[in-house]
Amino acid sequence: MKTIIKNGIVVTSTDTYKADLLIEKGIIKRISDQILPETDEKVIDASGQYIFPGGIDVHTHLAWPFQSTGTADDFVSGTRAAAAGGITSIINFTNPKRGQTLLDNLQEWKKKGEPSLIDYGFHSIISEYNDHVLEELPLLAEQEGVTSIKLFMAYKGELMVNDREMYKIMKKAGEAGIITNVHAENGDIIDELIAEAISKGNTDPIHHAYTRPPLTEAEATARALAIAEAANAPIYIVHVSCADALEKIEQAKKRDVQVVAETCPHYLVLDESYLSLPDFESGKYICSPPLREKWNQEYLWKGISSGLITTVGSDHCPFLFNGQKTLGRDNFAKIPNGVPGLEDIFSIVYHFGVHEGRISLQKFVDVISTGPAKTFGLYPKKGSIAIGFDADLVIFNPNTSRVITHKKQYQNVDYNLYEGIEVQGAITQVLSRGEVIVQDGYVVGHEGRGQYLFRKKIPAGQSSVSC
Ligand code: DUC
Ligand code: ZN
Ligand code: ZN
Ligand code: ZN
């Protein structure tokens, strides 16, 4: 089956130009001023619309057990929401059980991922250090194409590892061509600040932010970067939320630490004031790191523009408001940490970034697709529009607008973080490996069509694959 997309405006991380695309067997075969249908090609008219490479969200927590509960989206609802929102590939976090090997754990997660509508891969979380873990790292990369792992510096007793363990794991990971994602918050200080707050009766959601101040993120970020430097290993700092942490990354870059930085849509657009909303509405906005004072947003956008931040990931970690978030109605420390965002990341970054003039179209494509593809070993198969790439494409009408509401979302959550916000532009069609999976804004792709992403290793001394 061949498809021709006619008259669209192709946007990549380096160019914007008018062209027709020919897709054959899921791959982009030709890009030309004009491609005329010959026989039985399906023709899609994209006049006046942008054609973007599909979004690649490398930070999702579908089907993720956490804090005595679990996230509300599984791989069906989550990837359906992703597709609707212009995301054609995700990399989800695993969560190992105590005593389980990484490889056994991965098999369980690959099984969970099978019903996905879009392509999916995994970062293996390591929360329990032992020598077996070190032996398994090269096998993960070689046999399974898992070329990224994740370590936590917070959530003691559940996920946190110590500095020595981080050093050993990161060193071995680097040697195996694996990049280490790090959740950088000083868990020990945070746990003590939480205990102090609770003992004083400070239980409202705003105390979530006060007990995780920017210094706890900046300190952990600097420490993680020092560990990566000592281990001579690549490091990916997830969900950078504030200027203080970004400054540590900038300093490390100057020392040639192999660091890549990510921020999330909620840090770019929402702020700490949401944690003081009445009637426990604030509970909806609890994530870690917490939403920050508004002035930080400008630094994050500038970080994107300057190339200090090369990825925006959703950190989609959805919990229902009724029944999950409300567990912490009387005690902020019991509110599950996490917010939904997979369905909105593409539109939110486009609207507040491109439409409102903070970043260029090229930067948008870079942080939503090309950057993550390069960092996580998916390039040059995914992450751009060029001959030989998978035809993962988003057809986007910039001349319309829509209002975000949970009433029209596919995410399995009873609220939307961006409820009522009018965003410019609308996703009209999404193609995944040449197959139309979103038509006129509605998901038509079927469950189980997603493919497992076996990813390339990160070459020694680098923090991403560039070719
Ligand atoms: N932060 C969240 O908000 N949720 C999942 C884990 C994390 O680091
Ligand atoms: Zn995290
Ligand atoms: Zn996360
Ligand atoms: Zn506007």
Side-chain angles (χ1 to χ4, degrees), residues 59 61 150 152 155 183 238-239 288-289 315:
H59 192 151
H61 298 268
K150 171 139 186 217
F152 284 79
Y155 303 116
H183 173 118
V238 300
H239 53 46
S288 293
D315 199 359

Side-chain angles (χ1 to χ4, degrees), residues 201-213:
N202 293 330
T203 55
D204 291 341
I206 187 64
H207 292 282
H208 176 73
Y210 296 163
T211 55
R212 307 180 96 93

